[in-house]
Amino acid sequence: MKTIITTALLTFLTVMSYAQTADQIINECQEALGGKNWDKINGMKMSTVIEQGGMQMPMEIVSMRDGRTYSKITIQGMEIIQGAFDGEVVWSTNFMTQKPEKAETDDLENTKRAAKEFPNPLANYKELGYTATLEGQEDVDGVKCHKIKLDKKTHLVEGKEVPNIEYHFIDTDSKALIMTEMEIPSGEMKGMMMQTKFSDYQEVDGVMMPFSNSYGIKGEESQSITFQKIEMNPPVDAEIFKYKGE
């Protein structure tokens, strides 16, 4: 009986320590990336140039604290808006017609649910009602990392609520976020794990930003983006977010 009680107590203490450690690790990560300096930032713009088919296409990604966002690609003088959200509508420019089109209802609802994740889901996960759990340590490209499971608000997929879980990998030494993983909830790649890796952190107005990101399916080849410039609190025309279709 004494052994059973001792084992149960140790199990309870281990679970409690993991919960506390998850919070502590996330706090250390946020401090390492700028801490209170993020309170002064209400938006950011990341600029790069994509090369495809011998063409160079400037691209900018703008994210605002209130959830508004857009990506803009300039192709031979034409500006193509993708993944824009004005607070009410999610829309993109149709490449063929050059006209704005609204996203599906599920995409709109999922965007609204994630709208306050600025600058990332870990920044205010408690206020958003997310749950963080430490799942031990794993190596990411030779770097020892804490693996944090983040249980977020459910996704809406074909009108049904499905789990929405992300895994965040935080460098045990630098405390920087270096990778996220999430299961793709729908489409041809449903069930596969999408990885995003972050590197080349540099200081911008008192906060740390990864200037190099890579995206891809776990275990397969990934695509990389290197940002030439990242601006905090950039001047942005509010009209560019707005849906101007019918």
Side-chain angles (χ1 to χ4, degrees), residues 76 81-82 90 103 178 235:
Q76 296 181 336
I81 301 295
Q82 295 291 294
V90 175
I178 66 170

Side-chain angles (χ1 to χ4, degrees), residues 68 70 79 81 84-86 88-93 98-103 236-246:
R68 291 178 298 158
Y70 73 81
E79 294 184 346
I81 301 295
F85 178 53
D86 61 10
E88 296 295 332
V89 177
V90 175
W91 62 277
S92 295
T93 304
Q98 291 298 299
K99 294 182 179 180
E101 294 183 350
K102 290 183 180 180
V236 180
D237 184 356
E239 290 296 314
I240 197 169
F241 297 99
K242 295 181 180 179
Y243 174 71
K244 299 179 178 66
E246 297 179 357

Side-chain angles (χ1 to χ4, degrees), residues 220-232:
E220 299 183 9
E221 188 175 352
S222 62
Q223 295 183 333
S224 298
I225 296 179
T226 299
F227 296 101
Q228 281 77 40
K229 187 177 182 180
I230 297 179
E231 303 168 73
M232 298 299 164

Side-chain angles (χ1 to χ4, degrees), residues 18-201:
Y18 269 115
Q20 293 168 352
T21 303
D23 292 340
Q24 180 184 13
I25 291 168
I26 292 172
N27 289 338
E28 290 176 346
C29 176
Q30 295 308 303
E31 283 299 315
L33 298 184
K36 292 296 184 180
N37 289 331
W38 278 106
D39 295 342
K40 308 170 187 176
I41 296 172
N42 294 310
M44 66 175 107
K45 180 167 73 173
M46 301 182 288
S47 303
T48 188
V49 176
I50 300 173
E51 295 188 12
Q52 187 172 1
M55 293 190 302
Q56 290 191 332
M57 299 173 289
M59 181 177 75
E60 64 181 41
I61 302 171
V62 172
S63 302
M64 307 299 289
R65 182 176 291 278
D66 61 12
R68 291 178 298 158
T69 186
Y70 73 81
S71 297
K72 181 175 71 175
I73 305 172
T74 303
I75 306 175
Q76 296 181 336
M78 296 184 299
E79 294 184 346
I80 308 294
I81 301 295
Q82 295 291 294
F85 178 53
D86 61 10
E88 296 295 332
V89 177
V90 175
W91 62 277
S92 295
T93 304
N94 184 298
F95 279 87
M96 298 297 293
T97 65
Q98 291 298 299
K99 294 182 179 180
E101 294 183 350
K102 290 183 180 180
E104 299 292 333
T105 302
D106 287 358
D107 292 335
L108 173 60
E109 178 59 27
N110 291 331
T111 299
K112 286 183 175 180
R113 293 181 185 187
K116 300 300 182 181
E117 296 179 353
F118 184 89
N120 60 59
L122 294 179
N124 54 351
Y125 70 99
K126 288 184 178 180
E127 290 83 351
L128 294 173
Y130 300 169
T131 301
T133 308
L134 176 61
E135 294 209 333
Q137 295 182 349
E138 287 189 16
D139 281 359
V140 177
D141 297 332
V143 177
K144 184 179 291 185
C145 295
H146 298 292
K147 181 180 181 180
I148 302 291
K149 177 184 178 182
L150 194 64
D151 196 340
K152 302 169 54 175
K153 294 178 181 178
T154 55
H155 268 307
L156 196 62
V157 178
E158 297 179 354
K160 298 179 180 179
E161 302 288 347
V162 299
N164 183 10
I165 296 172
E166 292 181 354
Y167 296 92
H168 294 249
F169 296 80
I170 298 171
D171 187 337
T172 58
D173 291 330
S174 71
K175 315 302 181 185
L177 176 66
I178 66 170
M179 186 175 76
T180 62
E181 288 184 345
M182 64 171 290
E183 184 176 316
I184 299 173
S186 61
E188 295 181 357
M189 295 185 289
K190 180 180 179 180
M192 295 183 180
M193 195 69 74
M194 174 63 72
Q195 287 185 336
T196 304
K197 296 182 180 180
F198 310 97
S199 59
D200 190 20
Y201 275 89

